[in-house]
Each structure stands twice: as C-alpha cells, then as structure tokens.
Amino acid sequence: MNISQAARSSGLSSKALRHYEEIGLLVPSRGANGYRQYTASDVETLRFIQRARVSGFSTGEVRALLELRENPDRRSRETKLLVSEKLSHLEEQLRDLLEMHTTLLAFEKSCAGNDSPECAILDRLSGQLPG
C-alpha cells in the first residue's frame, strides 16, 4: 500500500510516516518507481508506535520498545524496567506539578487583585516576602 493508504490504516498522517522513516523507526520498502510501499506489518508497527507515543514514551523509548518487540530472546523484565523507569519519571513530574500548583494557589490567594500597584505575588517572586 502507498503512504496515504498506510496513513489512513494506521490513523497517522503521511507527515508522521515520513518522520518515522526519517528517524529510522520504520523503513518501508521502495517500489521500482521509488515510492514507499507499506505492508500490513508496517501498519501494525505504526500503530504500535502511535500507542507508545500516546502513552508518553519518547522517540528513544519507542525505539527501545520496538527493539524489544522484535527480539525473540527478550526478557519481559527489560520491558517492565523501561515502563517502571517511565512511571517513576512521570511520578516525579506529577510531584513537581503539584508543588507548582500549591505555590501558584498561594500566590493567587496573596494577591488583592485590585487597582493598587502593590502586588504580593511580585513581592514574593522578588524575595521581598516569604512564601
């Protein structure tokens, strides 16, 4: 199938398919005319890539997952470790976001939000007030 058919079948754009080829996640064959030719297996790989990206995996992590997927000698612990590391990183990001949220709530509560030039938010960011 050609690139537009593969894009439609995978739920991705033709631009995404070209990008994944450019970075080496998928290498479709080329017909005699030089056009990309995608197989059903290629489309399954594209769907795999899409699901991994939607799950938050980086391009490098997707590459590692694809390598594991293609390796008949893989150990499931390798995949689980990759996911566990990703989860740990995500939990760290969530903690950071929660801390930012708490800080911003405190900022918002400290500000009168009126026509006065006095601003507790700017004072706190300037280090003039604790918090």
Side-chain angles (χ1 to χ4, degrees), residues 31-67:
N33 58 7
Y35 293 158
R36 294 169 181 88
Q37 295 294 313
Y38 294 87
T39 64
S41 177
D42 291 335
V43 171
E44 280 306 310
T45 298
L46 289 165
R47 288 178 183 152
F48 180 94
I49 293 168
Q50 180 186 34
R51 286 190 291 270
R53 295 290 290 148
V54 167
S55 296
F57 290 102
S58 69
T59 302
E61 292 163 336
V62 171
R63 186 179 314 281
L65 288 166
L66 284 169
E67 288 172 6

Side-chain angles (χ1 to χ4, degrees), residues 45 87 129:
T45 298
L87 189 57
L129 289 176

